[in-house]
Amino acid sequence: MSALQTIAAEGVTGSLGSIGYGLAAIGPGVGVGIIFGNGTQALARQPEAAGLIRANQILGFAFCEALALIGLVMPFVYGV
């Protein structure tokens, strides 16, 4: 390993937790978009089922946000 590669690797180690959380936040972000996009389509197709659809949307949103919060906490737990 050359000296430049060593310096570059040492410079990245301090922010690996932030990079990991940024990557971990992509999944819940996509999930929330899918949940509300499909929920909107479902409401347009069956407006009489609005209560059930909305309840399922909120439950799915809570699960996606729980994943995002776990991704936020893990860098602190493992001390990366």
Side-chain angles (χ1 to χ4, degrees):
M1 187 182 276
S2 71
L4 183 59
Q5 289 173 334
T6 304
I7 292 171
E10 289 174 2
V12 173
T13 57
S15 62
L16 284 178
S18 300
I19 294 170
Y21 175 64
L23 293 174
I26 293 172
V30 170
V32 168
I34 290 172
I35 287 169
F36 286 108
N38 288 338
T40 303
Q41 287 181 0
L43 284 171
R45 292 176 187 208
Q46 288 186 321
E48 66 275 1
L52 179 64
I53 293 168
R54 193 167 293 123
N56 286 333
Q57 278 183 317
I58 292 171
L59 185 63
F61 175 75
F63 286 144
C64 284
E65 286 302 312
L67 289 175
L69 290 175
I70 289 170
L72 175 66
V73 171
M74 284 301 120
F76 297 110
V77 170
Y78 291 115
V80 175

